[in-house]
Coordinates of all heavy atoms in Angstrom, one line a residue:
M103 N 137.0 99.4 48.0 CA 135.8 99.7 47.2 C 136.2 100.2 45.8 O 137.2 101.0 45.7 CB 135.0 100.7 48.0 CG 133.7 101.1 47.2 SD 132.8 102.4 48.0 CE 132.1 101.5 49.4
D104 N 135.4 99.9 44.8 CA 135.7 100.3 43.5 C 134.6 101.0 42.8 O 133.4 100.6 42.9 CB 136.0 99.1 42.6 CG 136.7 99.4 41.3 OD1 137.4 100.5 41.2 OD2 136.6 98.6 40.4
I105 N 134.8 102.1 42.3 CA 133.9 102.9 41.6 C 134.1 102.8 40.1 O 135.3 103.1 39.6 CB 133.8 104.4 41.9 CG1 133.6 104.6 43.4 CG2 132.8 105.2 41.1 CD1 133.7 106.0 43.9
V106 N 133.2 102.2 39.4 CA 133.4 102.0 37.9 C 132.5 103.0 37.2 O 131.3 103.0 37.4 CB 133.1 100.6 37.5 CG1 133.5 100.3 36.0 CG2 133.8 99.6 38.4
V107 N 133.2 103.9 36.4 CA 132.3 104.8 35.6 C 132.2 104.4 34.2 O 133.2 104.0 33.5 CB 133.1 106.2 35.7 CG1 132.2 107.3 34.9 CG2 133.3 106.7 37.0
C108 N 131.0 104.3 33.7 CA 130.8 103.9 32.3 C 131.3 105.0 31.3 O 131.0 106.2 31.5 CB 129.3 103.7 32.1 SG 129.0 103.2 30.4
V109 N 132.1 104.6 30.4 CA 132.5 105.5 29.3 C 132.0 105.0 28.0 O 132.7 105.4 26.9 CB 134.1 105.7 29.4 CG1 134.6 106.4 30.6 CG2 134.8 104.3 29.2
G110 N 130.9 104.3 28.0 CA 130.3 103.9 26.7 C 129.8 105.2 26.0 O 129.7 106.2 26.6
A111 N 129.4 105.1 24.7 CA 129.1 106.3 23.9 C 128.1 107.1 24.6 O 128.2 108.4 24.7 CB 128.6 105.9 22.5
S112 N 127.0 106.5 25.1 CA 125.9 107.2 25.6 C 126.3 108.0 26.9 O 126.0 109.2 27.1 CB 124.7 106.3 26.0 OG 123.7 107.0 26.7
C113 N 126.9 107.3 27.9 CA 127.3 107.9 29.1 C 128.5 109.0 28.8 O 128.5 110.0 29.4 CB 127.9 106.9 30.1 SG 126.5 105.9 30.8
Y114 N 129.3 108.6 27.9 CA 130.5 109.5 27.7 C 130.0 110.9 27.2 O 130.5 111.9 27.7 CB 131.4 108.9 26.5 CG 132.7 109.6 26.3 CD1 133.7 109.5 27.2 CD2 132.8 110.6 25.3 CE1 134.9 110.2 27.0 CE2 133.9 111.4 25.1 CZ 135.0 111.1 26.0 OH 136.2 111.8 25.8
S115 N 128.9 110.8 26.4 CA 128.4 112.1 25.9 C 127.7 112.9 26.9 O 127.4 114.1 26.8 CB 127.4 111.9 24.7 OG 126.3 111.2 25.2
K116 N 127.4 112.2 28.0 CA 126.7 112.9 29.1 C 127.7 113.3 30.2 O 127.3 113.7 31.3 CB 125.6 112.0 29.7 CG 124.5 111.7 28.8 CD 123.4 111.0 29.4 CE 122.4 110.5 28.4 NZ 122.8 109.2 27.7
G117 N 129.0 113.1 30.0 CA 130.0 113.6 30.9 C 130.7 112.7 31.8 O 131.1 113.0 33.0
S118 N 131.0 111.5 31.3 CA 131.7 110.5 32.1 C 133.0 111.0 32.7 O 133.4 110.8 33.8 CB 132.1 109.3 31.2 OG 130.9 108.7 30.7
C119 N 133.8 111.8 31.8 CA 135.0 112.3 32.3 C 134.9 113.2 33.5 O 135.6 113.1 34.4 CB 135.7 113.1 31.1 SG 136.3 112.0 29.9
E120 N 133.9 114.1 33.4 CA 133.6 115.0 34.5 C 133.2 114.2 35.7 O 133.6 114.6 36.9 CB 132.5 115.9 34.1 CG 132.3 117.2 34.9 CD 131.1 118.0 34.5 OE1 130.5 117.7 33.4 OE2 130.6 118.8 35.3
I121 N 132.5 113.2 35.6 CA 132.0 112.4 36.8 C 133.2 111.7 37.3 O 133.3 111.7 38.5 CB 130.9 111.4 36.2 CG1 129.7 112.1 35.8 CG2 130.5 110.4 37.5 CD1 129.0 113.0 36.7
A122 N 134.0 111.1 36.5 CA 135.2 110.4 37.0 C 136.1 111.4 37.8 O 136.6 111.0 38.9 CB 136.0 109.7 35.9
R123 N 136.3 112.6 37.2 CA 137.2 113.6 37.8 C 136.5 114.0 39.2 O 137.2 114.2 40.2 CB 137.3 114.8 36.9 CG 138.7 115.2 36.8 CD 138.9 116.4 35.8 NE 138.6 116.0 34.5 CZ 137.9 116.7 33.6 NH1 137.2 117.8 34.0 NH2 137.6 116.3 32.3
G124 N 135.2 114.1 39.2 CA 134.5 114.5 40.4 C 134.7 113.5 41.5 O 134.9 113.8 42.6
F125 N 134.6 112.2 41.2 CA 134.8 111.1 42.1 C 136.2 111.2 42.7 O 136.5 111.1 43.9 CB 134.5 109.8 41.5 CG 133.1 109.4 41.5 CD1 132.5 109.0 40.4 CD2 132.3 109.5 42.7 CE1 131.1 108.7 40.3 CE2 130.9 109.1 42.7 CZ 130.4 108.7 41.5
H126 N 137.2 111.4 41.8 CA 138.6 111.5 42.2 C 138.7 112.6 43.2 O 139.4 112.4 44.3 CB 139.5 111.8 41.1 CG 140.0 110.5 40.3 ND1 140.7 109.5 40.9 CD2 139.7 110.1 39.1 CE1 140.9 108.6 40.1 NE2 140.4 108.8 38.9
K127 N 138.2 113.7 43.0 CA 138.2 114.8 43.9 C 137.7 114.6 45.2 O 138.2 114.9 46.2 CB 137.6 116.1 43.3 CG 138.4 116.8 42.4 CD 137.8 118.3 42.1 CE 138.4 118.9 40.9 NZ 137.4 119.6 40.1
L128 N 136.5 113.9 45.2 CA 135.8 113.6 46.5 C 136.6 112.6 47.3 O 136.8 112.6 48.5 CB 134.4 113.1 46.2 CG 133.4 114.2 45.8 CD1 132.2 113.5 45.2 CD2 133.1 115.1 46.9
I129 N 137.2 111.6 46.6 CA 138.1 110.6 47.3 C 139.3 111.3 47.9 O 139.6 111.0 49.1 CB 138.5 109.6 46.3 CG1 137.3 108.6 45.8 CG2 139.7 108.7 46.8 CD1 137.5 107.8 44.6
E130 N 139.8 112.2 47.2 CA 140.9 113.0 47.8 C 140.5 113.8 49.0 O 141.1 113.8 50.1 CB 141.5 114.0 46.8 CG 142.8 113.5 46.1 CD 143.2 114.4 45.1 OE1 143.1 115.7 45.3 OE2 143.7 113.9 43.9
K131 N 139.4 114.5 48.8 CA 138.8 115.3 49.9 C 138.6 114.5 51.2 O 138.9 115.0 52.3 CB 137.5 115.9 49.4 CG 136.8 116.8 50.4 CD 135.6 117.5 49.7 CE 134.6 118.0 50.7 NZ 133.3 118.5 50.1
Y132 N 138.1 113.3 51.0 CA 137.8 112.5 52.2 C 138.9 111.5 52.6 O 138.8 110.7 53.5 CB 136.5 111.7 52.1 CG 135.3 112.7 52.1 CD1 134.7 113.1 50.9 CD2 134.7 113.1 53.2 CE1 133.7 113.9 50.9 CE2 133.7 114.0 53.2 CZ 133.1 114.4 52.1 OH 132.0 115.2 52.1
N133 N 140.0 111.6 51.8 CA 141.2 110.7 52.1 C 140.8 109.3 52.1 O 141.2 108.5 53.0 CB 141.8 111.1 53.5 CG 142.9 112.1 53.4 OD1 143.6 112.1 52.4 ND2 142.9 113.0 54.4
L134 N 140.1 108.9 51.1 CA 139.7 107.5 51.0 C 140.7 106.7 50.1 O 140.4 106.4 49.0 CB 138.2 107.3 50.5 CG 137.2 108.1 51.3 CD1 135.9 108.1 50.5 CD2 137.1 107.6 52.6
D135 N 141.7 106.3 50.7 CA 142.8 105.7 49.9 C 142.4 104.3 49.4 O 143.0 103.8 48.4 CB 144.1 105.4 50.8 CG 144.6 106.7 51.3 OD1 144.4 107.7 50.6 OD2 145.3 106.7 52.4
D136 N 141.3 103.7 50.0 CA 141.0 102.4 49.5 C 139.9 102.4 48.5 O 139.4 101.3 48.0 CB 140.6 101.5 50.7 CG 139.5 102.1 51.5 OD1 139.3 103.3 51.4 OD2 138.8 101.4 52.3
V137 N 139.5 103.5 48.0 CA 138.5 103.6 46.9 C 139.2 103.9 45.6 O 140.0 104.9 45.5 CB 137.5 104.8 47.2 CG1 136.4 104.8 46.1 CG2 136.8 104.5 48.6
T138 N 138.9 103.1 44.6 CA 139.5 103.4 43.3 C 138.5 103.7 42.3 O 137.3 103.4 42.5 CB 140.2 102.1 42.8 OG1 139.3 101.1 42.7 CG2 141.3 101.7 43.8
V139 N 138.9 104.4 41.2 CA 138.0 104.8 40.2 C 138.5 104.1 38.9 O 139.7 104.3 38.6 CB 137.8 106.3 40.0 CG1 136.9 106.6 38.8 CG2 137.4 106.9 41.3
S140 N 137.6 103.4 38.2 CA 138.0 102.8 36.9 C 137.0 103.1 35.9 O 135.9 103.6 36.2 CB 138.4 101.4 37.0 OG 137.3 100.6 37.5
A141 N 137.2 102.7 34.7 CA 136.2 102.9 33.6 C 135.8 101.6 33.0 O 136.4 100.6 33.1 CB 136.9 103.7 32.5
S142 N 134.6 101.7 32.4 CA 134.1 100.5 31.8 C 133.3 100.9 30.5 O 132.9 102.0 30.3 CB 133.1 99.8 32.8 OG 132.0 99.2 32.1
F143 N 133.2 99.8 29.6 CA 132.3 100.0 28.4 C 130.9 100.0 28.9 O 130.6 99.8 30.0 CB 132.6 99.0 27.4 CG 134.0 99.0 26.8 CD1 135.0 98.1 27.0 CD2 134.4 100.2 26.1 CE1 136.2 98.2 26.5 CE2 135.6 100.3 25.6 CZ 136.6 99.3 25.7
C144 N 130.0 100.2 27.9 CA 128.6 100.3 28.2 C 128.1 99.2 29.1 O 128.4 98.0 29.0 CB 127.8 100.2 26.9 SG 126.0 100.2 27.2
M145 N 127.4 99.6 30.2 CA 127.0 98.6 31.2 C 125.6 98.1 30.9 O 125.0 97.4 31.7 CB 127.0 99.3 32.6 CG 128.3 99.7 33.1 SD 128.2 100.7 34.6 CE 129.9 100.9 35.0
G146 N 125.0 98.6 29.8 CA 123.7 98.2 29.5 C 122.7 98.9 30.3 O 121.5 98.4 30.5
H147 N 123.0 100.0 31.0 CA 122.1 100.7 31.8 C 122.0 102.2 31.3 O 121.8 103.1 32.1 CB 122.7 100.8 33.2 CG 122.4 99.6 34.0 ND1 121.3 99.4 34.8 CD2 123.0 98.4 34.0 CE1 121.3 98.2 35.3 NE2 122.4 97.6 34.9
C148 N 122.2 102.4 30.0 CA 122.1 103.8 29.5 C 120.8 104.5 30.0 O 119.7 103.9 29.8 CB 122.2 103.8 28.0 SG 123.4 102.7 27.2
S149 N 120.9 105.6 30.6 CA 119.7 106.3 31.0 C 119.7 107.6 30.2 O 120.7 108.0 29.7 CB 119.7 106.5 32.5 OG 120.8 107.3 32.9
R150 N 118.5 108.2 30.2 CA 118.4 109.4 29.4 C 119.1 110.6 30.0 O 119.6 111.5 29.4 CB 116.9 109.8 29.3 CG 116.4 109.5 27.9 CD 115.0 110.0 27.7 NE 114.1 108.9 28.2 CZ 112.8 109.1 28.5 NH1 112.3 110.3 28.4 NH2 112.0 108.2 28.9
Q151 N 119.3 110.5 31.3 CA 120.0 111.6 32.1 C 121.2 111.0 32.8 O 121.0 110.0 33.5 CB 119.1 112.3 33.0 CG 118.3 113.4 32.4 CD 117.8 114.3 33.4 OE1 117.7 114.0 34.6 NE2 117.5 115.5 33.0
G152 N 122.3 111.6 32.6 CA 123.5 111.2 33.5 C 124.2 110.0 33.1 O 123.9 109.3 32.1
V153 N 125.1 109.7 33.9 CA 126.1 108.6 33.6 C 125.8 107.4 34.5 O 125.4 107.6 35.7 CB 127.5 109.2 33.8 CG1 128.6 108.1 33.7 CG2 127.8 110.3 32.9
S154 N 126.0 106.2 34.0 CA 125.9 105.0 34.9 C 127.2 104.7 35.6 O 128.3 104.7 34.9 CB 125.5 103.8 34.0 OG 124.2 104.1 33.4
V155 N 127.2 104.4 36.8 CA 128.3 104.0 37.5 C 128.0 102.8 38.3 O 126.8 102.4 38.6 CB 128.9 105.1 38.5 CG1 129.2 106.4 37.7 CG2 127.9 105.3 39.6
K156 N 129.1 102.0 38.6 CA 128.9 100.9 39.5 C 129.7 101.1 40.7 O 130.9 101.4 40.6 CB 129.4 99.6 38.8 CG 128.4 98.5 38.7 CD 129.0 97.3 38.0 CE 127.8 96.7 37.1 NZ 128.4 95.6 36.3
I157 N 129.1 101.1 41.9 CA 129.8 101.3 43.1 C 129.8 100.0 43.9 O 128.7 99.6 44.3 CB 129.2 102.5 43.9 CG1 129.3 103.7 43.0 CG2 129.9 102.7 45.3 CD1 128.7 104.9 43.7
D158 N 130.9 99.4 44.0 CA 131.0 98.1 44.8 C 130.0 97.1 44.2 O 129.3 96.3 44.9 CB 130.7 98.3 46.3 CG 131.8 97.7 47.1 OD1 132.9 97.5 46.5 OD2 131.7 97.7 48.3
G159 N 129.9 97.1 42.9 CA 129.0 96.1 42.2 C 127.6 96.6 42.1 O 126.8 95.9 41.4
N160 N 127.2 97.7 42.7 CA 125.8 98.1 42.6 C 125.7 99.2 41.5 O 126.4 100.2 41.5 CB 125.3 98.8 43.9 CG 125.3 97.7 45.0 OD1 124.9 96.7 44.9 ND2 125.9 98.2 46.2
C161 N 124.7 99.0 40.6 CA 124.5 100.0 39.5 C 123.8 101.2 40.1 O 122.8 101.1 40.8 CB 123.7 99.4 38.4 SG 124.6 98.3 37.4
V162 N 124.4 102.4 39.8 CA 123.7 103.6 40.1 C 123.6 104.4 38.7 O 124.7 104.7 38.2 CB 124.5 104.5 41.1 CG1 123.8 105.7 41.5 CG2 124.9 103.7 42.3
D163 N 122.4 104.6 38.3 CA 122.2 105.3 37.0 C 121.9 106.7 37.2 O 121.5 107.1 38.2 CB 121.0 104.6 36.3 CG 121.2 103.1 36.0 OD1 122.3 102.7 36.0 OD2 120.2 102.4 35.8
G164 N 122.1 107.5 36.1 CA 121.7 108.9 36.1 C 122.6 109.8 37.0 O 122.1 110.7 37.6
V165 N 123.9 109.5 37.1 CA 124.8 110.4 37.8 C 125.2 111.6 37.1 O 125.6 111.5 35.9 CB 126.1 109.6 38.3 CG1 126.9 110.5 39.2 CG2 125.7 108.4 39.1
T166 N 125.0 112.8 37.7 CA 125.3 113.9 37.0 C 126.3 114.8 37.9 O 126.4 114.4 39.1 CB 124.1 114.8 36.7 OG1 123.4 115.2 38.0 CG2 123.1 114.1 35.8
A167 N 126.8 115.9 37.4 CA 127.7 116.8 38.2 C 126.9 117.3 39.4 O 127.4 117.5 40.4 CB 128.2 117.9 37.3
E168 N 125.5 117.4 39.2 CA 124.7 118.0 40.3 C 124.4 117.0 41.4 O 124.5 117.3 42.6 CB 123.3 118.4 39.7 CG 123.4 119.7 38.9 CD 124.0 119.5 37.5 OE1 123.7 118.5 36.9 OE2 124.8 120.3 37.1
N169 N 124.2 115.7 41.0 CA 123.9 114.8 42.2 C 125.1 114.0 42.6 O 125.0 113.0 43.4 CB 122.7 113.9 41.8 CG 123.0 112.9 40.6 OD1 124.1 112.7 40.3 ND2 122.0 112.4 40.0
L170 N 126.2 114.3 42.0 CA 127.5 113.4 42.3 C 127.8 113.4 43.7 O 128.0 112.2 44.3 CB 128.6 114.1 41.5 CG 130.0 113.4 41.7 CD1 130.0 112.2 40.8 CD2 131.1 114.3 41.3
E171 N 127.7 114.5 44.5 CA 128.1 114.5 45.9 C 127.1 113.6 46.7 O 127.4 112.9 47.6 CB 128.1 115.9 46.4 CG 129.4 116.6 46.0 CD 130.0 117.5 47.1 OE1 130.2 117.0 48.2 OE2 130.4 118.6 46.7
T172 N 125.8 113.7 46.3 CA 124.8 113.0 47.0 C 125.0 111.5 46.8 O 125.0 110.7 47.7 CB 123.4 113.4 46.5 OG1 123.3 114.8 46.4 CG2 122.3 112.8 47.3
V173 N 125.3 111.1 45.6 CA 125.5 109.7 45.2 C 126.7 109.2 46.1 O 126.7 108.1 46.6 CB 125.8 109.5 43.7 CG1 126.3 108.2 43.4 CG2 124.5 109.8 42.9
F174 N 127.7 110.0 46.1 CA 129.0 109.7 46.8 C 128.7 109.5 48.2 O 129.1 108.5 48.9 CB 130.0 110.8 46.6 CG 131.4 110.5 47.0 CD1 132.2 109.7 46.2 CD2 131.9 110.8 48.3 CE1 133.5 109.3 46.7 CE2 133.1 110.5 48.8 CZ 134.0 109.8 47.9
A175 N 127.9 110.4 48.8 CA 127.6 110.3 50.3 C 126.8 109.1 50.5 O 127.0 108.4 51.5 CB 126.9 111.6 50.7
E176 N 125.8 108.8 49.7 CA 124.9 107.6 49.9 C 125.6 106.3 49.7 O 125.4 105.4 50.5 CB 123.7 107.7 49.0 CG 122.6 108.7 49.6 CD 121.5 108.8 48.6 OE1 121.4 108.0 47.6 OE2 120.7 109.8 48.8
H177 N 126.4 106.3 48.6 CA 126.9 104.9 48.3 C 128.4 104.7 48.7 O 128.8 103.5 48.8 CB 126.8 104.7 46.8 CG 125.4 104.7 46.3 ND1 124.7 103.6 46.2 CD2 124.6 105.7 46.0 CE1 123.4 103.9 45.8 NE2 123.3 105.2 45.7
V178 N 129.1 105.7 49.0 CA 130.5 105.5 49.2 C 130.8 105.8 50.7 O 131.3 105.0 51.5 CB 131.5 106.4 48.4 CG1 132.9 106.1 48.8 CG2 131.2 106.1 46.9
L179 N 130.3 107.0 51.2 CA 130.6 107.4 52.6 C 129.8 106.5 53.6 O 130.2 106.2 54.7 CB 130.3 108.8 52.8 CG 131.3 109.8 52.0 CD1 130.9 111.2 52.2 CD2 132.7 109.5 52.3
S180 N 128.5 106.2 53.2 CA 127.7 105.5 54.2 C 126.8 104.5 53.4 O 125.7 104.6 53.2 CB 126.7 106.4 54.9 OG 125.9 107.2 54.1
P181 N 127.5 103.5 52.8 CA 126.9 102.5 52.0 C 125.7 101.8 52.7 O 125.9 101.4 53.9 CB 127.9 101.6 51.5 CG 129.1 101.8 52.4 CD 128.9 103.1 53.0
V182 N 124.6 101.7 52.1 CA 123.4 101.0 52.7 C 123.7 99.5 52.6 O 124.0 99.0 51.5 CB 122.2 101.3 52.1 CG1 121.0 100.6 52.7 CG2 121.9 102.8 52.0
S183 N 123.7 98.8 53.7 CA 124.0 97.4 53.7 C 122.7 96.6 53.4 O 121.7 97.0 53.9 CB 124.6 96.9 54.9 OG 123.6 96.6 55.9
C184 N 122.8 95.6 52.6 CA 121.6 94.9 52.1 C 121.5 93.5 52.8 O 121.0 92.6 52.2 CB 121.6 94.7 50.7 SG 121.8 96.2 49.7
S185 N 122.2 93.4 53.9 CA 122.2 92.1 54.5 C 120.8 91.7 55.0 O 120.1 92.6 55.6 CB 123.2 92.1 55.7 OG 122.8 93.1 56.6
S186 N 120.4 90.5 54.8 CA 119.1 90.1 55.2 C 119.3 89.3 56.5 O 120.1 88.4 56.7 CB 118.5 89.2 54.2 OG 119.4 88.2 53.8
H187 N 118.4 89.6 57.5 CA 118.5 89.0 58.8 C 117.3 88.1 59.0 O 116.3 88.4 58.5 CB 118.5 90.1 59.9 CG 119.7 90.9 60.0 ND1 121.0 90.4 60.4 CD2 120.0 92.1 59.5 CE1 121.8 91.4 60.4 NE2 121.3 92.4 59.8
Ligands
FES268 S1 126.8 103.8 27.6 FE1 126.8 103.8 29.7 S2 125.4 102.3 30.3 FE2 125.4 102.3 28.2

């Protein structure tokens, strides 16, 4: 799984570095060796609050230091599968 953190101007000013560091810490905490964190230019999802990230190809907007753990739990620890039956 790949977590891509936007480091475009808008997201960067809202704390991309802090968010990336936070993801690294959580990955270490849960020993998720197969999850990587990388950076990307503007994803075209600039939101007024927080940073845009892509988790396994899914855009999650508005990630902040406050909701980081929730986002991680929802999208990384127990990703919702969108399979159609
Ligand atoms: S700067 Fe991050 S989505 Fe635009």
